[in-house]
Amino acid sequence: MQAALVLSDPERFFVPAHLGARGWLALRLDLPKAGWAEVAELMPEAYRMTALRKLLDGPAAASRPQRPMT
């Protein structure tokens, strides 16, 4: 998805120098055509791709006991 968005509009989307290799994408918000509706659409998927698993599983996962480290 990173490459597709950059190719679709390289003026708005770009690959950040230090995190781009890990799949991160940057979006310029200072342009007149930066649509907040699009940002709102992209954010949930971006969060799901980077959030810790226990956060994605919801409150029940946070209350589960952790396995002891060996």
Side-chain angles (χ1 to χ4, degrees):
M1 179 175 263
Q2 179 195 51
L5 287 170
V6 172
L7 287 173
S8 73
D9 193 348
E11 185 180 324
R12 283 186 1 187
F13 296 104
F14 64 95
V15 177
H18 298 288
L19 297 172
R22 294 185 178 171
W24 285 67
L25 178 73
L27 170 64
R28 289 195 52 191
L29 299 175
D30 60 339
L31 298 174
K33 62 181 179 177
W36 289 104
E38 183 178 23
V39 171
E41 184 180 314
L42 292 170
M43 288 305 294
E45 180 65 19
Y47 177 77
R48 282 190 294 274
M49 293 177 74
T50 60
L52 296 173
R53 185 75 200 171
K54 67 181 179 181
L55 296 176
L56 294 174
D57 290 339
S63 64
R64 276 189 228 138
Q66 298 292 317
R67 290 186 294 163
M69 294 180 67
T70 58

